[in-house]
Amino acid sequence: MHIVVCMKQVPRDNSVKINPDLSINADGIEKIINLFDEYAIEEGIIWNEKHGGKLTVLSMGADEWVEQMRRALAMGATDSLLLKDPAFATLDTIAAAKVVAAAIRKLGDVDLILTGRNSTDDESGAFAPALARILGWPQLTYVGKVIDVNPGSKTITAERHLETVVETVTAPLPAVVSVIKDINNPRYPSLLKIKKVAKVEPPVWTAADLGVSGLVPTVTVTQRVPPPPRPSGETIDGPDAATKVKKLVDKLLENQII
Amino acid sequence: MIEYEHSDEIKMLRQTVREFVNKEIRPIAREIDEEERVPLDVIKKAGELGLLAVPFPEKYGGLELGITGYCVLMEELQRGDASIATIIGAHTQLCAMSIHLGGNEAQKDKYLRGLNRGTLIGAWALTEPNAGSDAAHISTTAELHGDEWVINGQKMWITNGSFADVIVVHAVTDKSKGARGGITAFIVEKDFPGFNVGKIEDKMGLRASHTASLYFEDMRVPAANVLGGVGHGFPLAMKTLDIGRCGLGGGAVGGAKEAFELSRQYAITRHQFGRPIAEFQAIQFKLAEMAVKIYTMEQIVYDTARKVDAGKNATLESSIVKLYCSEMASEVIDEAIQIHGGMGFSRELPLERMYRDARVTRIFEGTNEIQKSVIASELLKQVGYRIHRHEGVYPTPKHAPHS
């Protein structure tokens, strides 16, 4: 069985700075595996340990992204693949999905694609659905539990954790799955593998290797403004605590909050 | 801050240790200090992850990432909690290191492998009530009876001593030879008959790291557990301490960096006189001075680590690292408290704990005064001059001034 995990490297989100034009300035900020992708990697390892075969981590990005791919290898991924080309530098989600889809087709034997539900830098959340649509594969989004991956019947059964309901779904393989936080408990990279994986140079496929061309972003950011400030709250006054609490409760009742 | 350029494998080690510290250590650091609790579960987890195996050969389950890797480990651990760094430090850089340096194949297979995995926890015992800085004059004795050594005596200030499975113990095997051939190291298991743990010290800092007295009453140790050969204990101990000093420097860098980061954040978020305190030159200068200290500390730690990893003798450098980094870390943490004002003095923030924890780094593993003696002695040796150590009998006053 061949599982592919699509992962990206992101700046540690609690330490990024904001540029004057409100874009993200990640210069000098520590890079980490996108939080949700780390859960996808762990889920990939769990099913790879069960069924054997290959677990490939795939990234589209610059050379420096290899650092986080090596971490995934130290966690337990068996293979890595970097998609790198100057033409890939400014893609939007759809165009990125087209490139990754071309790589998946070129790999040829992929049974399952796992990825995080969104990245913590771009926040589009549209990558997995776009990839599934382009490949024509079933898409299972917001997966909070993978119940079974069955190489015999070539099916996957999983729980989709939606806002008000947990949906159990089954789909034929190959399929695209996006996972949510806390689907599992990602393991630490094995330090015993560090020396070995630190030397790994993932194979690199370019636009020419993939036969993709004419990639233009369909969405471009034209302006960034901060959201309007929230109006300040109302302060409840009164001579003592009991009066203030009564006023507050009346107010909450009046607005049907309690 | 200025990022030190390490190799890819060291960077990966750092990121993994940092994650471990954020997840497993930071949340409990205050609590274990207050409860004086050794977090053995965390130490076991660290062992499973490989954090107890950083400098040792892969052949025995080590990561083989050298003293450089070990210093990075100490740096990151100390950012989270100095007690845990100390427990892991005594285990790794003292106990396991002396077995790595002096042990034979069978001993490494039996002990180093388990120490690397954390299935065994280690301690290292040299200091005695009357032999601290003057380590050559220990009085614990070992006598050969058939194929067993019988050890009698007492050790003091032994980190991990109360719960370690394996303790490297130094004892006098030939009093006439003194440190030059008269001291032998032994690998002792806690279950050896005659091994007893005494009281645990009530300390100013490092309260989650237990420091114990050990008593040996006719403790029987198999001859196969002599470490590094009979009579070779003192040079082995000195070599072990020598390498360990570099790791102390790494830990000091971590403590100082943590204090700096807290201070920088506080300086831009704390407002007084209608502006962030970072606007005041008094605070700016403090931050600048802290950064200068941290940058120089980091440079000498990793330059020395590189020399040790290349197999070079770095006694002089290691002593300078220990002396300088322990002094500088104390100064940086002190300034961090000053920047934080009252908050720095409060237990709500980790600074007061870091301040208490840092104090002992100027004392243990060779006081800073001993380091100055080592540094001077090494420097004079370079021009062919050897310091003469006079030994004599000095009378003890009948009425000590403070008794």
Side-chain angles (χ1 to χ4, degrees):
Chain A
M1 163 158 249
H2 189 176
I3 301 172
V4 169
V5 177
C6 297
M7 59 168 276
K8 75 184 280 194
Q9 173 173 294
V10 296
R12 192 179 279 283
D13 50 4
N14 57 8
S15 46
V16 292
K17 297 179 282 279
I18 306 297
N19 287 323
D21 72 347
L22 300 183
S23 62
I24 292 172
N25 179 354
D27 286 350
I29 303 293
E30 184 188 3
K31 303 293 191 296
I32 56 170
I33 296 174
N34 176 41
L35 172 77
F36 298 102
D37 295 348
E38 204 166 340
Y39 292 101
I41 295 164
E42 176 63 33
E43 200 61 29
I45 296 168
I46 291 169
W47 293 100
N48 174 262
E49 282 174 347
K50 203 170 169 106
H51 296 311
K54 275 180 18 173
L55 172 63
T56 304
V57 282
L58 182 153
S59 261
M60 190 180 73
D63 279 335
E64 72 201 49
W65 289 41
V66 169
E67 277 182 28
Q68 298 311 320
M69 297 175 79
R70 288 186 184 132
R71 284 179 59 75
L73 289 169
M75 284 172 75
T78 63
D79 291 81
S80 55
L81 176 59
L82 179 67
L83 312 180
K84 191 184 76 166
D85 197 288
F88 300 164
T90 55
L91 300 184
D92 62 2
T93 309
I94 291 281
K98 279 181 188 162
V99 175
V100 173
I104 298 293
R105 288 199 188 101
K106 191 171 153 81
L107 283 168
D109 60 349
V110 177
D111 301 291
L112 177 63
I113 298 172
L114 292 163
T115 192
R117 79 170 168 93
N118 64 262
S119 61
T120 53
D121 55 355
D122 291 342
E123 293 278 3
S124 90
F127 174 77
L131 180 62
R133 177 71 185 83
I134 294 163
L135 289 167
W137 295 2
Q139 56 162 309
L140 285 67
T141 50
Y142 297 101
V143 167
K145 185 178 180 184
V146 177
I147 298 165
D148 190 32
V149 177
N150 192 327
S153 62
K154 286 214 152 263
T155 54
I156 176 168
T157 307
E159 283 178 8
R160 298 183 65 226
H161 289 199
L162 306 175
E163 213 162 291
T164 54
V165 64
V166 174
E167 220 175 57
T168 303
V169 293
T170 298
L173 295 175
V176 179
V177 170
S178 67
V179 306
I180 59 170
K181 192 170 175 285
D182 296 334
I183 180 175
N184 51 42
N185 188 14
R187 68 196 70 188
Y188 292 104
S190 160
L191 291 172
L192 295 163
K193 288 184 187 160
I194 275 192
K195 275 179 91 81
K196 207 169 76 191
V197 303
K199 293 181 186 76
V200 170
E201 290 300 335
V204 175
W205 288 356
T206 62
D209 295 328
L210 295 170
V212 291
S213 58
L215 296 163
V216 280
T218 50
V219 178
T220 46
V221 177
T222 54
Q223 194 192 8
R224 288 190 179 91
V225 291
R230 289 163 61 135
S232 59
E234 186 184 333
T235 310
I236 292 178
D237 279 330
D240 53 44
T243 319
K244 283 193 268 190
V245 168
K246 188 178 180 314
K247 272 193 187 173
L248 174 64
V249 172
D250 287 346
K251 196 103 191 155
L252 293 172
L253 284 170
E254 187 186 312
N255 288 287
Q256 297 183 344
I257 293 166
I258 56 173
Chain B
M1 280 299 288
I2 306 155
E3 189 75 24
Y4 192 93
E5 281 299 321
H6 284 293
S7 68
D8 284 349
E9 56 197 37
I10 298 292
K11 278 195 229 166
M12 281 184 74
L13 172 73
R14 186 193 289 282
Q15 194 179 346
T16 304
V17 181
R18 190 170 290 179
E19 277 169 25
F20 183 82
V21 167
N22 287 341
K23 206 164 148 187
E24 317 282 351
I25 296 181
R26 285 183 192 273
I28 60 162
R30 181 176 172 183
E31 163 191 322
I32 58 174
D33 174 67
E34 285 174 357
E35 295 172 4
E36 294 174 66
R37 176 164 59 85
V38 175
L40 271 180
D41 52 331
V42 175
I43 305 300
K44 290 278 171 195
K45 267 190 202 170
E48 286 162 19
L49 188 58
L51 298 187
L52 306 183
V54 174
F56 304 118
E58 284 177 356
K59 187 178 171 191
Y60 301 106
L63 304 187
E64 226 172 283
L65 292 172
I67 291 301
T68 303
Y70 176 71
C71 287
V72 167
L73 168 77
M74 281 295 122
E75 206 189 296
E76 292 300 323
L77 287 175
Q78 199 128 320
R79 292 196 70 156
D81 183 57
S83 285
I84 292 177
T86 302
I87 297 166
I88 293 179
H91 168 97
T92 310
Q93 84 188 16
L94 293 177
C95 179
M97 182 59 78
S98 67
I99 294 174
H100 164 65
L101 293 174
N104 56 36
E105 291 291 308
Q107 289 168 338
K108 288 183 192 178
D109 204 56
K110 185 171 178 187
Y111 297 109
L112 187 54
R113 203 173 281 285
L115 291 165
N116 275 336
R117 287 297 292 158
T119 49
L120 297 174
I121 299 297
W124 190 83
L126 175 65
T127 300
E128 297 181 358
N130 293 316
S133 291
D134 188 10
H137 287 94
I138 55 173
S139 56
T140 294
T141 58
E143 284 176 23
L144 189 60
H145 289 224
D147 58 357
E148 281 183 332
W149 289 86
V150 177
I151 300 183
N152 280 289
Q154 182 191 350
K155 295 290 175 184
M156 206 177 171
W157 297 112
I158 308 307
T159 304
N160 301 353
S162 54
F163 53 86
D165 305 287
V166 178
I167 306 96
V168 171
V169 173
H170 300 80
V172 177
T173 43
D174 186 342
K175 198 166 190 305
S176 67
K177 290 182 181 164
R180 294 186 183 159
I183 294 175
T184 302
F186 297 89
I187 304 175
V188 171
E189 295 179 23
K190 66 172 180 196
D191 298 326
F192 284 176
F195 175 85
N196 295 299
V197 175
K199 76 168 176 119
I200 291 167
E201 296 295 335
D202 189 6
K203 310 187 297 304
M204 170 185 185
L206 297 181
R207 291 179 71 81
S209 151
H210 287 186
T211 305
S213 298
L214 303 178
Y215 297 91
F216 318 121
E217 293 167 59
D218 287 332
M219 178 174 70
R220 307 187 88 79
V221 178
N225 280 30
V226 167
L227 180 64
V230 175
H232 291 95
F234 196 72
L236 174 63
M238 292 303 110
K239 176 88 184 143
T240 303
L241 286 171
D242 213 26
I243 292 179
R245 282 177 189 136
C246 213
L248 278 182
V253 170
K257 279 186 179 174
E258 185 70 13
F260 174 83
E261 288 301 347
L262 287 167
S263 303
R264 178 160 64 174
Q265 278 309 311
Y266 193 74
I268 58 175
T269 48
R270 167 76 174 166
H271 285 67
Q272 286 292 277
F273 304 100
R275 69 196 79 169
I277 60 170
E279 290 289 331
F280 299 111
Q281 201 177 45
I283 302 295
Q284 292 166 5
F285 279 17
K286 285 189 198 302
L287 291 174
E289 284 160 10
M290 289 161 96
V292 169
K293 286 169 185 167
I294 293 167
Y295 185 56
T296 50
M297 285 161 80
E298 198 167 14
Q299 298 301 314
I300 65 168
V301 165
Y302 291 109
D303 188 62
T304 304
R306 192 173 48 79
K307 286 181 186 164
V308 175
D309 286 338
K312 292 183 183 161
N313 181 327
T315 301
L316 173 60
E317 292 90 330
S318 298
S319 275
I320 293 176
V321 162
K322 196 275 181 184
L323 169 70
Y324 183 75
C325 292
S326 58
E327 301 278 352
M328 290 303 112
S330 298
E331 287 183 21
V332 168
I333 294 166
D334 187 59
E335 281 292 47
I337 290 178
Q338 196 65 21
I339 290 174
H340 281 76
M343 279 310 291
F345 199 61
S346 161
R347 286 206 162 184
E348 252 181 71
L349 291 184
L351 287 166
E352 69 82 28
R353 187 183 77 242
M354 291 165 67
Y355 184 82
R356 286 185 283 113
D357 290 346
R359 185 61 185 87
V360 77
T361 62
R362 285 146 62 190
I363 300 169
F364 67 12
E365 297 208 37
T367 63
N368 284 8
E369 291 69 25
I370 287 289
Q371 301 308 326
K372 286 179 190 171
S373 294
V374 173
I375 293 165
S377 147
E378 289 292 312
L379 290 170
L380 293 168
K381 222 194 285 176
Q382 286 177 350
V383 290
Y385 186 87
R386 287 188 184 273
I387 296 172
H388 296 83
R389 297 188 196 282
H390 297 286
E391 292 194 24
V393 179
Y394 298 95
T396 308
K398 275 184 183 155
H399 301 287
H402 298 291
S403 62

